[in-house]
Amino acid sequence: MTEFRDVYGNRIARRVGDRIWDNYGNWVYEIRGDRVWDTMGNWVYEIRGDRIFDTSGNWLYELRGDRLFDTSGNWLGSDW
């Protein structure tokens, strides 16, 4: 299990296997290969290297080590 925390150290989600769960125990996303799907089966994100894109090809996030940043360079959270 991997925990995701915001910049203040608060746990915001956890990953168990290929699924990501919120703090309330709700399954919110599933990772299949390089794509991320929501619980309705909709493709929502694509992971290309260290960058995460939406389904229109817009770059949204970047992974640097265990940290997640937006396209402006703001640190959003960590994988701890």
Side-chain angles (χ1 to χ4, degrees):
M1 178 176 73
T2 301
E3 291 185 345
F4 299 98
R5 297 182 181 265
D6 64 15
V7 295
Y8 305 106
N10 301 310
R11 187 178 84 177
I12 55 173
R14 64 184 166 35
R15 179 178 177 178
V16 180
D18 290 337
R19 292 189 174 181
I20 297 175
W21 304 78
D22 67 13
N23 281 341
Y24 305 103
N26 300 309
W27 165 45
V28 289
Y29 297 112
E30 183 173 357
I31 300 170
R32 294 185 225 151
D34 61 351
R35 292 188 174 180
V36 180
W37 306 79
D38 67 13
T39 57
M40 300 298 293
N42 300 308
W43 168 41
V44 289
Y45 302 112
E46 183 173 1
I47 303 167
R48 297 183 209 156
D50 291 339
R51 293 186 174 179
I52 299 172
F53 296 82
D54 66 13
T55 57
S56 297
N58 300 307
W59 170 36
L60 302 174
Y61 307 108
E62 183 170 359
L63 299 166
R64 296 184 206 156
D66 67 344
R67 293 185 173 193
L68 179 69
F69 293 84
D70 64 15
T71 56
S72 296
N74 299 307
W75 173 34
L76 303 175
S78 299
D79 169 8
W80 291 335

